[in-house]
Amino acid sequence: MYLFIAFAASGLCGAWSLSPSPYSSCTSIWKECMTEEQTDSNADFDVSAFQRQIISEFRENHGELSGMFEGWTLCVLTTVGAKTGLQRESLLGYMEVDGQPLVVASAMGADTNPAWYHNVRKNPEVTVETGTETYRAMATITTGEVRDALFAKVVEQDPGMGEYQAKTSRRLPVVTLTRADDNE
C-alpha cells in the first residue's frame, strides 16, 4: 500500500496524456510493479530512488519513457521546498490548454494536495522540463471561474481527471506555468 500512496504523493500516478489515459491504470500499474510478497513487505522500497530513476530516464531520453509511463506527456517540475528551502523535483502530467502550460494537483483524487503544490504556494518560481526544453516559469494557482474553465477543458481532453475530482471533496488545483521570459 505504501508504494501506491507514494505514487500518488509523488505525482507519478497524477501523470496523464491525451492517449492513452493512464488514470484507470494506476492501480494496475502498482500491481504490476509489486509482487504479492512485496506488497506485504515493502518497507525496503525507496520511493525517492524510484522517482530519481524515472526522472533520470526522462532526461536521458528527452522526455520519452518506457514501461508503465510510455506514451504519457510528462514534465519534471522543480520547486523549492516550502519547509526545507531545498530544491524538489516531481514528475507530473503536463498539458497545454489553449497554449497555456499547466499541471493539476490531482494526487489521484486523494483528500490532500501533493507536496509540490504546497511548495508552489510558498514559492511560485519553478523550473519546467518537458524533455525537449527546460524553462523557468511562474506557477499560478488558478481560482474561481478561471480554474473551472481550465479544469473543464482538462477533463474534455482527459476524462480521468474528472474521475479524480469525483473521488474527493477538495477542488483539484489547476496550476498554470507562465514562462519567465513571457513576464520580462
Side-chain angles (χ1 to χ4, degrees), residues 49-85:
F50 177 77
Q51 187 166 359
R52 285 191 306 272
Q53 178 184 354
I54 300 299
I55 289 172
S56 177
E57 180 185 347
F58 178 89
R59 288 175 173 148
E60 289 171 10
N61 297 306
H62 308 288
E64 299 294 322
L65 293 172
S66 59
M68 63 183 155
F69 299 113
E70 187 173 353
W72 294 14
T73 303
L74 304 172
C75 73
V76 175
L77 184 71
T78 302
T79 61
V80 174
K83 294 179 182 176
T84 66

Side-chain angles (χ1 to χ4, degrees), residues 1 8-9 21-22 43 45 47 50 54 66 80 85 97 107 124 127 136-137 159 177:
M1 188 63 172
S21 177
F45 184 79
V47 174
F50 177 77
I54 300 299
S66 59
V80 174
V97 172
T127 301
R136 291 178 313 113
L177 305 167

Side-chain angles (χ1 to χ4, degrees), residues 6-23:
F7 272 106
S10 69
L12 293 176
C13 273
W16 39 270
S17 65
L18 301 180
S19 177
S21 177
Y23 293 113

Side-chain angles (χ1 to χ4, degrees), residues 23-175:
Y23 293 113
S24 60
S25 66
C26 282
T27 302
S28 62
I29 286 169
W30 173 69
K31 289 177 182 174
E32 289 173 23
C33 289
M34 302 295 284
T35 65
E36 188 173 321
E37 180 180 299
Q38 288 171 315
T39 58
D40 292 337
S41 173
N42 58 22
D44 294 334
F45 184 79
D46 186 341
V47 174
S48 296
F50 177 77
Q51 187 166 359
R52 285 191 306 272
Q53 178 184 354
I54 300 299
I55 289 172
S56 177
E57 180 185 347
F58 178 89
R59 288 175 173 148
E60 289 171 10
N61 297 306
H62 308 288
E64 299 294 322
L65 293 172
S66 59
M68 63 183 155
F69 299 113
E70 187 173 353
W72 294 14
T73 303
L74 304 172
C75 73
V76 175
L77 184 71
T78 302
T79 61
V80 174
K83 294 179 182 176
T84 66
L86 300 174
Q87 284 195 338
R88 302 293 186 200
E89 295 178 334
S90 299
L91 187 64
L92 303 172
Y94 180 81
M95 180 178 254
E96 290 190 16
V97 172
D98 298 331
Q100 174 63 65
L102 60 83
V103 290
V104 178
S106 69
M108 293 175 45
D111 288 330
T112 59
N113 289 314
W116 67 263
Y117 171 80
H118 299 289
N119 296 346
V120 165
R121 287 183 61 207
K122 174 107 178 184
N123 184 354
E125 296 176 22
V126 300
T127 301
V128 180
E129 297 174 59
T130 65
T132 57
E133 68 175 322
T134 300
Y135 61 93
R136 291 178 313 113
M138 184 64 65
T140 303
I141 300 165
T142 60
T143 59
E145 293 176 8
V146 171
R147 180 260 175 217
D148 294 344
L150 285 171
F151 191 74
K153 290 182 179 185
V154 166
V155 171
E156 282 177 18
Q157 294 182 34
D158 195 325
M161 278 295 181
E163 294 172 22
Y164 283 163
Q165 182 61 77
K167 289 173 62 175
T168 183
S169 60
R170 73 178 172 94
R171 290 168 52 98
L172 299 184
V174 176
V175 180

